Amino acid sequence: MAAVLTEPYGTATLLLVLGALIACSALLSRHIDRLGVPIVLLFLVLGMLGGSEAAGGITFADYHAAVRVGTIYLVLILLDGGMNAPWQAVRHFIAPAAALATAGVVLTAGFIAVFSRLLGLPWTEALLLGAVVSSTDAAAVLAVLRGGRLRLQPSVGTTLEVESCINDPMAVILTVTMIDVATSTTALRWSLLATVPLQLAVGATVGALLGYVGLHLVRKVYLPTVGLYPALTLAIAFLSFGAATLLEGSGLMSVYFTAIVLGNSPLPYRSGLIRVHESLAWLSQIALFLMLGLLVFPSKLPAVAGTGLAIALFLAFVARPLAVVLCLLPFRFSLREILYMSWIGLRGAVPIILGAFPVIAQVPGAERVFNIVFFIVVVSTLLPGATIRQVTRWLRLAVPESPAPSAILEINSAHPLNAEIASFLIDPAASVCDVLLSEIGLPPDASVMLVVRGNDLIAPRGRTRLLAGDHAYVFFRAADRVYVQLLFGRRESN
Amino acid sequence: MKFADFICSEAILAQLDAQDKESTIREMVQALCRAGKVENEEFESIVKAILKREELGSTGIGRGVAVPHTKHPSVNRLVGTVAVSPQGVDFASLDGEPVHLFFLLISPPDRPGDHLRALENISRQLRDDTFCRFLKQSKSVEDIKTVLMEADNNQFGS
């Protein structure tokens, strides 16, 4: 529809439809989330509705563009994911996450391939399908775990997040190898599998290196306007992806590590910077899944519905749990944690993007594989996504959620500072609960700056008593951080 | 406030057996029970209260030190003890390192001033590397008592 209109009406119509789709995605997300449906699925369905076979009338079947643009969106999502990942937790759970991201991906691919063959698919398609859907998806995992305002115990939350952020190289390599198998135009590159550890190592090294170089740059240069700082961090992420990929490393993993280095260090205008990247990540989630929805033609789905559904259910109930159990046995996880991670095997953008690879390579049967992949993604996002709250409660893996303060007080500065402001939710178990401020022996350079009690903002005085449920904003020097946390408990993240 | 004002010498443990957070807290509270500073029937309730405080964020403050503490109505004055774990305990501390040195405090809810002054004193002393090193190297209860007494007499740097 848009293509036949002359300019500027063609562009105007396109923006009108895209605007309506993005607005619907943003506005409906809260209601959809309440119904227990992962919001990325909403974006995907809205994308399908915007396509040429539905109301939107946008024709989009450019798989090359989808792969390229989709990768850029993934970089933006991983940048935000990494910036918000506490390094302590990542370091603690990187070994089990790496096992899931390598052996787990191969096992899942193998199980799916064998099952698909049993369903009657030729070996080439079965192997391709296994490779394409073998990895969990960072976009979906981050959207469901963080977007759903779930607070999970780090053992499962961090392991699942890190797994999804570093398992793409294995899935990409498997897919490329299987395309070789299917086309047989070149010698089989099974040896590629041996390069997985190298890709991961290069990705992590380049990522960390560029993270530190970028951090130095961001902290040393003085930019004329605040708005340029997020542009610089974005540039660092793009450089990280590009450099790592050109050096035969994993670009996505590199971005994740760059983001972890940046996010776990003092940054100029830190809170504003983090919020800009959070917004970019959300916009990327919406745009990515809308685009992938546009790429799907609903008329082609009924033909593969039975096969797709069967494989999706096999993945959710057999392949993923089996792979997770085998990978996590050497680690000290409880049965509850293993069960949980078996169930939360969210697929999303990456399998759809990988599904486009064989279509681009013109592998016979690639379009059928692509449509089956779409089914698998929908089911394996819907099933765990819709049940995640109940399962989290049932397996007792949630961390109690703290109410957010009604106001936020923060320091914004272009330069690294020797002091900070942090907010603490006053819990009855904290030493300072039900205590007059004058009784708290704060260090000489520390002070309680503001108390937020419900919607009341209280100017702290010596006679102010901290009550359970208050949010206290405390100013302190870096050297006193530990003592302040001993008194007030864990700081809130705003 | 000095260590002598709240550390119960009879409850000091120079060789902590525990290997995880909960059993460390249990062993230390048990020592206070044996010393008669805490009622036996309050044991579980106190352990639960200390663990509840740990949920707010570990009191493992880094450099191999932890200060588990709580306010509890069963005590009528501030009581505390010290324990040294030669092998180290995974206490989910802020720097991720195992903890070798523990200060445990229990105070009555109606006297928060004492509780806060004790925490302040412990934190101030712990900034001194020599104090921490001497305590961690202590092999007996007598060694620990000596180091605490020297700290009370301002014989360390801070």
Side-chain angles (χ1 to χ4, degrees):
Chain A
M1 187 171 79
V4 296
L5 292 172
T6 54
E7 291 304 336
Y9 303 108
T11 307
T13 313
L14 181 69
L15 286 182
L16 200 70
V17 176
L18 280 179
L21 288 176
I22 294 173
C24 284
S25 304
L27 295 172
L28 290 176
S29 56
R30 188 179 167 86
H31 304 287
I32 291 290
D33 190 47
R34 266 198 212 136
L35 290 175
V37 178
I39 44 179
V40 288
L41 277 189
L42 166 77
F43 308 152
L44 200 61
V45 171
L46 282 171
M48 287 169 69
L49 290 176
S52 55
E53 288 185 354
I58 299 175
T59 307
F60 182 70
D62 188 340
Y63 291 87
H64 266 113
V67 169
R68 184 160 292 181
V69 178
T71 306
I72 295 173
Y73 289 142
L74 278 174
V75 167
L76 295 177
I77 292 165
L78 280 173
L79 175 60
D80 173 60
M83 284 183 92
N84 286 295
W87 170 239
Q88 288 289 355
V90 173
R91 192 179 66 165
H92 206 74
F93 296 108
I94 200 154
L100 289 172
T102 49
V105 170
V106 175
L107 286 169
T108 310
F111 295 146
I112 292 287
V114 171
F115 184 74
S116 304
R117 179 74 188 105
L118 291 176
L119 286 182
L121 261 66
W123 265 119
T124 50
E125 286 179 37
L127 287 166
L128 256 179
L129 199 58
V132 166
V133 300
S134 58
S135 69
T136 58
D137 177 50
V141 169
L142 292 171
V144 170
L145 295 193
R146 292 189 186 172
R149 298 227 164 268
L150 264 180
R151 283 197 61 200
L152 284 176
Q153 284 181 12
S155 56
V156 288
T158 307
T159 307
L160 285 171
E161 270 191 30
V162 177
E163 177 207 3
S164 73
C165 291
I166 65 172
N167 64 7
D168 306 302
M170 187 52 117
V172 172
I173 287 169
L174 282 180
T175 305
V176 170
T177 310
M178 294 315 154
I179 289 174
D180 278 356
V181 173
T183 53
S184 296
T185 51
T186 52
L188 292 188
R189 289 186 281 168
W190 290 101
S191 58
L192 271 177
L193 287 179
T195 67
V196 169
L198 187 70
Q199 287 215 30
L200 293 176
V202 172
T205 311
V206 172
L209 203 67
L210 274 169
Y212 283 111
V213 172
L215 183 65
H216 187 73
L217 195 69
V218 174
R219 289 172 63 171
K220 288 290 172 201
V221 296
Y222 177 75
L223 300 177
T225 164
V226 181
L228 282 175
Y229 283 93
L232 190 56
T233 40
L234 190 65
I236 294 165
F238 284 169
L239 286 168
S240 174
F241 182 91
T245 309
L246 292 176
L247 290 168
E248 306 292 339
S250 161
L252 292 176
M253 185 162 171
S254 178
V255 171
Y256 187 61
F257 271 73
T258 300
I260 287 176
V261 173
L262 291 173
N264 284 274
S265 316
L267 290 169
Y269 303 113
R270 185 187 160 79
S271 48
L273 203 63
I274 299 271
R275 255 169 241 146
V276 168
H277 287 303
E278 192 184 345
S279 295
L280 280 176
W282 272 113
L283 198 61
S284 300
Q285 301 267 16
I286 294 175
L288 176 61
F289 284 93
L290 281 179
M291 182 186 75
L292 296 174
L294 285 173
L295 211 54
V296 176
F297 293 90
S299 62
K300 295 179 182 168
L301 294 179
V304 295
T307 315
L309 196 64
I311 298 174
L313 292 175
F314 176 79
L315 172 62
F317 288 100
V318 183
R320 165 81 182 172
L322 215 52
V324 170
V325 169
L326 290 172
C327 288
L328 295 186
L329 273 181
F331 301 97
R332 281 171 35 186
F333 284 103
S334 67
L335 183 63
R336 286 185 296 129
E337 290 168 328
I338 291 178
L339 272 177
Y340 192 82
M341 287 187 271
S342 300
W343 184 238
I344 310 297
L346 293 153
R347 266 64 186 167
V350 170
I352 300 183
I353 292 174
L354 289 181
F357 279 28
V359 179
I360 294 168
Q362 296 177 326
V363 175
E367 283 210 22
R368 181 159 71 151
V369 169
F370 183 82
N371 291 325
I372 295 176
V373 168
F374 175 78
F375 245 95
I376 294 173
V377 166
V378 170
V379 175
S380 55
T381 307
L382 191 62
L383 268 183
T387 53
I388 192 166
R389 284 202 177 87
Q390 292 90 320
V391 175
T392 307
R393 217 174 18 243
W394 181 52
L395 292 173
R396 301 192 306 280
L397 288 168
V399 177
E401 196 173 346
S402 312
S406 59
I408 291 172
L409 179 70
E410 60 194 17
I411 302 175
N412 266 316
S413 167
H415 307 287
L417 302 169
N418 61 353
E420 56 193 299
I421 284 186
S423 70
F424 297 88
L425 173 65
I426 305 301
D427 187 277
S431 299
V432 294
C433 185
D434 210 17
V435 171
L436 295 175
L437 288 184
S438 57
E439 290 180 302
I440 304 173
L442 281 173
D445 291 328
S447 174
V448 176
M449 307 292 291
L450 175 72
V451 176
V452 181
R453 186 171 293 160
N455 286 330
D456 265 355
L457 300 186
I458 299 169
R461 300 274 184 270
R463 62 178 185 280
T464 307
R465 187 178 290 277
L466 289 178
L467 302 178
D470 283 354
H471 300 269
Y473 281 88
V474 186
F475 171 85
F476 53 88
R477 301 230 176 260
D480 297 320
R481 186 184 295 131
V482 163
Y483 176 53
V484 170
Q485 284 179 213
L486 198 58
L487 293 177
F488 288 81
R490 186 191 291 118
R491 58 197 292 172
E492 295 178 283
S493 51
N494 294 318
Chain B
M1 178 174 274
K2 297 186 170 188
F3 285 120
D5 296 332
F6 61 93
I7 296 292
C8 169
S9 312
E10 298 81 24
I12 292 175
L13 299 165
Q15 301 278 331
L16 193 74
D17 292 326
Q19 299 196 345
D20 60 38
K21 182 182 272 199
E22 182 169 343
S23 41
T24 299
I25 292 166
R26 285 183 171 278
E27 200 174 333
M28 293 181 76
V29 177
Q30 190 67 59
L32 284 168
C33 283
R34 275 198 308 272
K37 298 290 178 188
V38 168
E39 302 290 338
N40 278 323
E41 53 270 30
E42 299 293 344
F43 173 78
E44 286 298 336
S45 167
I46 290 172
V47 169
K48 202 172 154 191
I50 296 174
L51 287 171
K52 182 84 184 150
R53 165 61 188 86
E54 289 298 319
E55 284 175 15
L56 296 185
S58 175
T59 58
I61 55 178
R63 296 164 62 213
V65 181
V67 192
H69 58 267
T70 189
K71 291 180 270 187
H72 200 273
S74 66
V75 293
N76 52 22
R77 64 180 291 266
L78 175 66
V79 291
T81 182
V82 179
V84 176
S85 164
Q87 73 274 20
V89 174
D90 179 3
F91 214 74
S93 52
L94 299 179
D95 61 359
E97 297 298 321
V99 174
H100 293 275
L101 181 56
F102 298 89
F103 285 85
L104 184 136
L105 297 179
I106 309 164
S107 69
D110 55 351
R111 292 175 66 180
D114 289 351
H115 180 86
L116 293 167
R117 274 191 292 280
L119 281 179
E120 190 185 351
N121 177 35
I122 294 170
S123 303
R124 193 180 63 246
Q125 299 287 0
L126 289 175
R127 286 185 185 185
D128 190 294
D129 284 335
T130 317
F131 172 74
C132 288
R133 198 173 62 248
F134 279 14
L135 268 184
K136 286 177 196 170
Q137 288 170 349
S138 299
K139 296 274 183 272
S140 67
V141 173
E142 285 311 312
D143 290 350
I144 295 172
K145 280 159 71 175
T146 309
V147 179
L148 294 180
M149 199 170 65
E150 287 170 356
D152 278 347
N153 294 331
N154 296 321
Q155 291 183 19
F156 292 99
S158 55

